[in-house]
Amino acid sequence: MIQKINTLEEYHEVYRKSVEQPENFWAEIAATFKWQKKWDRVLEWNFRDPDIKWFAGGRLNITENCLDRHLETKGDQVAILWEPNHPGGEAIQLTYNQLHTEVCRLSNALKSQGIAKGDRVCLYMPMVPELAIAVLACARIGAIHSVVFAGFSSRALADRINDADASMVLTADGAYRGPKTIDLKSIVDEALTDCPGVLNVWVLKRTGSAVDMVAGRDTWWHDALEGVPAIYAAETMDAEDNLFVLYTSGSTGKPKGVMHTTGGYMVYAEYSFRNVFQYNEGDIYWCTADIGWITGHTYIVYGPLLAGATTLMFEGIPTYPDAGRFWEVTDKHQVNLFYTAPTAIRALQAKSPDFVARHNLSSLKVLGSVGEPINEEAWEWYHEQIGKKKCPIVDTWWQTETGGIMISPLAGITPLKPGFATLPLPGIQPMLVDHDGNEMKGNGVEGNLCIRFPWPSMIRSTWGDHERCRKTYFETFDNAYFTGDGCRRDAEGYYRITGRVDDVINVSGHRFGTAEIENAINEHPQVVESAVVGYPHEIKGQGIYAYVICTGLPADQQEVRAGIRATVNAFIGPIAKPDKVQFVKGLPKTRSGKIMRRVLRKIAEGGSSELGDVSTLLDPEVVEEIKEGAV
Ligand code: WTA
């Protein structure tokens, strides 16, 4: 079993070892897992191609480590504890034995449908146990899962299905989201009109919504599982075989499929889970993310199950039936470790304190935060009102690309500082770099956050386009992985993430490229050109501000604004709809035609008096006009 770090001195000692002898360090941790064949080499790498291999030659199946290896000692312990959307609905408990059986059954069913090792299977599902089962069944047969968050639109889904060339989609008739029902199957049907590669769709019955089943393509989930055997011998995978692809946005182009492989991801998922949350046997752990995001992959499914924990899965939303739901569920299931996003904390903080006071939160031991910078007010509220000042808050910085938590306190061990992700995990070597690529050594510096040495769960490639991976992450700074984040290292050596330094905005913890939203807006028939920037938003962290040029100033601005929002909804999904739309006659462009986003950001922030040097603009007057019309 992986040994946890127990004290701050031990952390420093382990950290030093992890930097001085990374291979020995990770080999010792990897040895705690079940391998079908031991690796030949711990690490081979270069950041130029990039080419990164952890535990090459090793053979394993991650689900044997999530499931089979626990059966003897904790077969009857709850693995997945599921809380439905509707309060009063029945919670489901799946023990490790039961989860193993369900995963084996689905594995057999997928296999008999013809899904083979390396095939891509797209999962577009509600937060129900079957989603976790499907993730694990794919891994068990060696298929590559591509989970798409069920809040994305049919076009966004189609893009992801086609990019990964998935041959199968697993979905449900519908999903409950608070008071709403979303007809997932009809969204899938619409998407598939553009996806000729998809041969099979399995449909889980969840809401009972009416669905059209396409003959020869669609099968009910329960029919597919009928009579299948409950044992499936896990496929043998190479440590560097692909485990999953997960789409995420960057500053340019369409979202890209981040690739993670099997062995290194597994090792880092459990190591980081145990250490950051300081998980103890028997703890009830709840991460409120959706499995459609990396947080759900690593810290609802893989990390906790690898550690043999009880992981709570919640189908609903924080504000249904009221803003006390998280705390009601915490009390009901006696949750010990709780992990959520700042946007949820801020939304709940804005509601009456009664929603918290009504519930007993004394089971809580550790609180976590992820996805965006947590502001001090939200940190303090979380600490005082939820943690009653006795629970450490782990502010965990990481990314889809990093696979696991990179910079974070270890709960109860690392002294906390609100707003700071504090110190890197063992094995993680952050580096701050200035614009010219020079490393900024010492403390009290701020720059671009890079990582100078590989870690086991790092991105290996982007699906179908390795060059894009190289360009995005490994080209900007020589011999380093570039995160896209800005960061300050204070006098004590503590890290504080200051936000993205590229054209990515973070809305309620969701990443969007500004270009991606602009492309959607530009699909509106009256739009000629647009520019999108982020601006500080009280609840969402960042809001979306769109400057839009139309064919003539619209007569009915409200109508066109609504039309633009609907277009973004159709091309990406409701989470990407602009909060503010300003109609403009021109955009501030330099002589080379580049939009000066810095100016647009300032105006969106309401700071139009300090725009800086605009002398290189082609038409500085445009700026005056935009300032006047700011919304
Ligand atoms: C941001 C989510 C500040 C950051 C796991 C990063 C954070 C992006 C934090 C990745 C944090 C994540 N403090 N910023 N604790 N955690 N971020 O890929 O900008 O959805 O680059 O992964 O979220 O978002 P992603």
Side-chain angles (χ1 to χ4, degrees):
M1 193 170 94
I2 291 178
Q3 293 301 313
K4 283 203 308 270
I5 291 167
N6 292 302
T7 63
L8 190 59
E9 295 87 79
E10 199 188 337
Y11 160 76
H12 287 298
E13 202 177 299
V14 169
Y15 186 81
R16 188 165 36 79
K17 183 187 166 190
S18 78
V19 172
E20 286 169 6
Q21 303 173 4
E23 298 197 14
N24 290 346
F25 172 76
W26 287 115
E28 269 175 36
I29 295 165
T32 66
F33 291 84
K34 180 174 156 66
W35 295 82
Q36 293 170 7
K37 175 189 167 289
K38 202 186 158 183
W39 56 88
D40 301 320
R41 291 162 307 281
V42 177
L43 172 65
E44 290 168 77
W45 68 288
N46 76 69
F47 277 174
R48 293 201 180 81
D49 295 338
D51 185 10
I52 294 122
K53 291 193 183 79
W54 281 94
F55 312 113
R59 297 180 150 247
L60 75 158
N61 188 288
I62 193 169
T63 71
E64 287 192 329
N65 286 275
C66 291
L67 302 171
D68 306 55
R69 76 171 160 148
H70 301 314
L71 295 186
E72 207 171 301
T73 53
K74 46 174 76 164
D76 292 327
Q77 187 205 296
V78 176
I80 293 180
L81 174 55
W82 176 76
E83 174 68 25
N85 177 65
H86 298 298
E90 210 179 316
I92 290 178
Q93 303 193 339
L94 282 176
T95 64
Y96 273 93
N97 275 328
Q98 290 167 328
L99 182 59
H100 177 259
T101 300
E102 291 311 317
V103 170
C104 283
R105 291 178 69 223
L106 189 59
S107 301
N108 276 309
L110 289 170
K111 198 74 192 200
S112 44
Q113 183 66 258
I115 299 297
K117 185 171 167 176
D119 288 352
R120 275 77 57 214
V121 177
C122 175
L123 279 49
Y124 186 72
M125 292 187 60
M127 277 288 287
V128 290
E130 286 82 355
L131 170 53
I133 292 166
V135 162
L136 294 166
C138 287
R140 198 161 180 92
I141 69 173
I144 299 169
H145 55 78
S146 170
V147 186
V148 177
F149 172 59
F152 279 116
S153 70
S154 59
R155 282 184 198 255
L157 173 62
D159 283 347
R160 285 159 178 75
I161 289 172
N162 287 332
D163 187 83
D165 197 11
S167 57
M168 179 161 192
V169 177
L170 302 181
T171 188
D173 51 359
Y176 294 120
R177 254 189 114 62
K180 289 189 223 153
T181 302
I182 298 155
D183 291 330
L184 293 188
K185 175 60 164 64
S186 54
I187 299 173
V188 169
D189 288 341
E190 206 178 311
L192 294 191
T193 57
D194 285 331
C195 302
V198 173
L199 307 175
N200 297 103
V201 178
W202 287 359
V203 187
L204 181 78
K205 213 167 221 162
R206 174 64 191 126
T207 58
S209 312
V211 300
D212 291 326
M213 297 294 276
V214 175
R217 187 194 74 183
D218 301 352
T219 308
W220 286 106
W221 193 288
H222 52 267
D223 288 338
L225 279 169
E226 198 149 301
V228 297
I231 286 293
Y232 184 96
E235 209 68 38
T236 296
M237 306 296 284
D238 282 331
E240 281 299 337
D241 275 342
N242 290 321
L243 177 63
F244 65 85
V245 55
L246 183 58
Y247 284 83
T248 192
S249 300
S251 24
T252 56
K254 288 195 171 186
K256 50 192 168 296
V258 170
M259 296 305 307
H260 284 288
T261 58
T262 306
Y265 176 81
M266 170 182 80
V267 169
Y268 198 79
E270 184 184 340
Y271 182 76
S272 55
F273 172 75
R274 278 187 189 274
N275 277 291
V276 169
F277 297 100
Q278 289 288 299
Y279 167 76
N280 285 309
E281 284 293 291
D283 281 344
I284 306 291
Y285 163 84
W286 180 17
C287 167
T288 70
D290 191 288
I291 293 177
W293 312 111
I294 191 68
T295 305
H297 280 60
T298 310
Y299 298 111
I300 295 179
V301 181
Y302 287 114
L305 294 178
L306 286 164
T310 297
T311 180
L312 194 154
M313 232 180 123
F314 176 47
E315 186 186 32
I317 59 170
T319 49
Y320 177 77
D322 61 44
R325 189 69 196 281
F326 274 2
W327 322 127
E328 185 242 329
V329 174
T330 298
D331 188 11
K332 176 177 175 187
H333 294 295
Q334 291 292 291
V335 171
N336 306 116
L337 317 173
F338 178 76
Y339 192 26
T340 196
T343 190
I345 298 167
R346 288 189 295 261
L348 298 179
Q349 181 186 9
K351 301 281 160 73
S352 158
D354 291 350
F355 289 118
V356 181
R358 254 177 239 160
H359 305 283
N360 182 349
L361 300 179
S362 60
S363 60
L364 290 173
K365 296 194 295 190
V366 175
L367 302 176
S369 170
V370 60
E372 40 174 331
I374 179 165
N375 49 309
E376 249 166 79
E377 301 73 38
W379 196 99
E380 294 294 351
W381 183 83
Y382 199 28
H383 190 240
E384 281 166 27
Q385 302 303 315
I386 306 307
K388 316 295 180 196
K389 295 193 186 170
K390 69 176 175 59
C391 303
I393 294 180
V394 290
D395 176 0
T396 63
W397 173 82
W398 59 297
Q399 310 178 294
T400 304
E401 296 85 344
T402 68
I405 297 167
M406 301 287 279
I407 304 182
S408 167
L410 308 185
I413 292 173
T414 315
L416 306 175
K417 204 185 262 191
F420 283 76
T422 73
L423 299 172
L425 262 64
I428 305 306
Q429 301 188 34
M431 161 168 89
L432 301 184
V433 180
D434 70 15
H435 286 299
D436 305 320
N438 303 311
E439 182 178 356
M440 307 170 78
K441 294 197 172 139
N443 291 338
V445 291
E446 183 167 337
N448 299 296
L449 177 60
C450 296
I451 314 289
R452 73 164 99 237
F453 194 84
W455 63 100
S457 63
M458 71 182 297
I459 181 175
R460 299 296 196 270
S461 190
T462 43
W463 181 261
D465 192 351
H466 191 65
E467 175 61 7
R468 192 166 174 204
C469 172
R470 188 189 70 77
K471 274 202 172 128
T472 310
Y473 307 105
F474 298 92
E475 190 181 63
T476 319
F477 299 107
D478 192 34
N479 215 16
Y481 165 83
F482 175 43
T483 65
D485 279 317
C487 183
R488 182 153 75 82
R489 187 165 52 220
D490 77 357
E492 264 193 286
Y494 266 35
Y495 290 86
R496 180 190 190 114
I497 309 301
T498 53
R500 301 288 305 198
V501 295
D502 54 7
D503 288 323
V504 169
I505 51 182
N506 190 326
V507 184
S508 301
H510 305 315
R511 269 167 73 167
F512 295 105
T514 51
E516 185 188 358
I517 302 175
E518 288 158 9
N519 289 340
I521 293 174
N522 297 348
E523 293 288 338
H524 187 279
Q526 267 163 276
V527 172
V528 176
E529 196 182 355
S530 61
V532 162
V533 295
Y535 71 97
H537 187 286
E538 238 174 64
I539 304 287
K540 299 178 176 186
Q542 280 190 298
I544 301 172
Y545 195 121
Y547 298 90
V548 178
I549 305 176
C550 285
T551 48
L553 204 61
D556 186 344
Q557 293 206 359
Q558 215 140 335
E559 192 195 323
V560 180
R561 197 171 279 130
I564 287 172
R565 286 164 55 82
T567 307
V568 174
N569 188 40
F571 277 82
I572 306 175
I575 48 180
K577 285 195 286 196
D579 299 278
K580 295 185 178 182
V581 176
Q582 180 182 350
F583 295 104
V584 297
K585 286 199 206 124
L587 291 167
K589 289 191 179 167
T590 60
R591 277 177 191 97
S592 57
K594 227 178 140 201
I595 297 173
M596 208 183 256
R597 282 172 193 277
R598 159 176 79 72
V599 168
L600 295 177
R601 264 186 235 120
K602 268 279 178 249
I603 296 174
E605 282 166 16
S608 54
S609 52
E610 2 143 8
L611 293 183
D613 181 14
V614 291
S615 60
T616 55
L617 286 179
L618 194 59
D619 177 10
E621 256 162 49
V622 161
V623 176
E624 288 309 311
E625 215 178 281
I626 297 177
K627 264 162 65 174
E628 273 158 36
V631 289

